[in-house]
Amino acid sequence: MDNKEWQLEQDYLDKTVKVIDQQIETLSSSIAETKQFVSELRDYYVRGTQIFGDIDPYERVGINERIDNLIEIGNQNIDKTEKLKRNRGRPYFGRVRFESKKADDDFYVGLMGIEQDNKYYVYDWRAPICELFYDYGLGEASFRSPVGKIDGKITLKRQYDIQNGKLIDMYDKDINIFDDYLQKVLSKISTDKLHNIASTIQAEQNAIIRDLKNDLVVVQGYAGSGKTTVALHRIAYALYRLKDLNSANILIFTLNEAFMSHIEGVLPELGEQNTRSATMAKFIGRLLKTPRHFEESDMFLSRYLGLSDDARAIVKAKLDLKMKEKIGEWVENLINNTTAIKGFKLRDIPFSPKLLNRLFLNDYGDLPYFNRFNAITDFVVRKTKVEDKAPIRAQIKQHILECFNANTHLESLYKSMCLDCGFGEPDLSVIKTEDAILMCVLKSKLSDVIVKMNIRHIIIDEAQEYPALFLDFLFGLFPRAQFSIFGDKYQQTHPLGTGDLKSVLQLKHYGEGVYYELDNTYRSSEEIVEYCSKIIGNPRHNAFRLLNNEPVIEKDFSDKTKLFNEISAILNKEIVNNGTIGVITGDVQTAKEIVEKLSKKFVDKVGLVDTAKSDAYTQVQVIPVSLSKGLEFNTAIVVKSGGLFDGEMGTNLKYIACTRAINKLYVLNKN
């Protein structure tokens, strides 16, 4: 590329940065003026109150409304200023020259739109016109504008490496796969945080991100295919395109808290606020409203593998999708056997058993079991005209329950159901995964389950780990929400998880569903991808990261001393490269022993992630394989010894552990 072309590009970049600086200055001035005006209005309000005792109520309301409006405007300006500052050093990453019958124009693509005086300097990557950048190479192309489909031809497609407002490099491309630029991005040292991929989104990823037509989107993707990152970009796209959608309307399910800290920076990078998030245990705990502790997902597998065959059979039976129908039948039988055996009087008004039974079976017969007793309580309150206060209502409801000899305590009913189903009485001191899910399904059959969140879009990551019974429950709980389901059947570790994600399409209660597959992997070097593909017997290994000339190193160790020495030698070699290092073990105990042994030598470098709620911000993270999903490390050291690696899901767990590696993989086998 000649010097003249380079200078033209730098001039455009300088002009764009200047526009951003002007907007920051204008917004900063507006923010200062708003703060001053709000302060003056508040002073006026205080002085008026001090002098006159109170000001006119209409004026008071007007002042408060004006203050609220000004604060809202000020917050919006502050938010935009922060976005501009964040993007100033790299305002765009791509450009497309599109020639059509209407006009020939250059479109620059960045993380946020930059506009001034009706001129777009940069288009937000989520704008319809930017589909040209992601979906086409040179030649015929089209996009859908507000006025309809626009056909034309792409004559230039360019990628930029921009740092601190300076043009470092640029790449002209004639196909959608940005070879040189993509390799440069992939070669950067990974941190412990996930980052946005807006500049390198591939066509197959873009199709998933922009699909808002379907109520259910199911994605099967191999390790390193970008499933989680695509999910987060899909959220950002939905927030941009659906103007009545906000971050509070979106719920992300992840397997553990540690993974949330890994992904928390992506949405802010894309200009959006982080959304609601929950693990399955945390969500169920809030739903069931019990102070009891719930088993976290990473603890289930260890417990399950330690059970006898008979105990495993009970767990499998509890999580079978058929339990939904069985619970419905059990609740129906409960209703049919619920009869008022006595009546009562209140304020000389009689409520006979006949009346109570008519209300329960006929008048309120369309309501769930628990709701019928609430409706009868309302009926009694209206008839007797007693004061409608919570303590009085509670007393009346209790009296009604005694007339029916009825039980509305969820845990007690659940125990009865388990006994009737032949499962035995469950121990609910700590609620196990299978019991937690069944209790949710039972509660949904007994009452209207109210979720005090306006959830309109749900993202489920690592969906292969969730039993179909729980996914089906979520679909019923949020019937008007869109669902985005991401997972990998080869990374299933929950023996009773969904596994084959195509089956999820059969669970949805309404609307259309679509299934995507992501075959390409961008995380690991070609050597690592080939090694990992052999673990699962899958010859397809479409690695986009080129050969690293760093073979996978396998070594044996016969005792813990040799293991610690081997890990120590690897760390001495790799720590100096400043990349993240993951030591992935078969169980928590081995992880703790490694940390205890190495932390004195590698002070402040080694950290332990031993529960679903742990965070580790050290360069070296020692973590059991059950918690490693979704994470990635420049170097991974897999300690294949005991614990979960020896269980029935051992092959999948080894695959998960090894696919955490980006550039270097060491596999230490116990001999």
Side-chain angles (χ1 to χ4, degrees), residues 173 177-188 521-530 541-551 661-664:
K173 295 298 162 187
I177 299 171
F178 313 129
D179 301 286
D180 298 335
Y181 182 78
L182 182 59
Q183 290 305 317
K184 185 169 184 176
V185 171
L186 293 177
S187 67
K188 291 181 179 178
T521 177
Y522 303 91
R523 176 188 295 142
S524 307
S525 69
E526 191 169 332
E527 297 95 334
I528 293 172
V529 172
E530 185 169 353
H541 51 276
N542 301 325
F544 270 60
R545 190 185 291 272
L546 298 179
L547 286 168
N548 215 16
N549 295 319
E550 291 278 356
I662 296 175
N663 293 311
K664 296 184 180 180

Side-chain angles (χ1 to χ4, degrees), residues 197-256:
I197 59 165
S199 64
T200 57
I201 293 171
Q202 304 297 295
E204 75 274 14
Q205 296 171 330
N206 192 49
I208 298 167
I209 290 169
R210 295 176 186 254
D211 182 354
L212 297 181
K213 303 184 299 295
N214 292 286
D215 297 316
L216 173 62
V217 170
V218 179
V219 181
Q220 155 66 37
Y222 296 112
S225 60
K227 296 183 296 296
T228 302
T229 316
V230 168
L232 294 170
H233 285 66
R234 179 166 164 75
I235 291 173
Y237 181 74
L239 290 168
Y240 176 83
R241 294 303 303 271
L242 305 176
K243 298 306 180 184
D244 58 341
L245 187 74
N246 61 58
S247 296
N249 301 138
I250 297 172
L251 176 61
I252 302 177
F253 277 93
T254 62
L255 291 182
N256 54 64

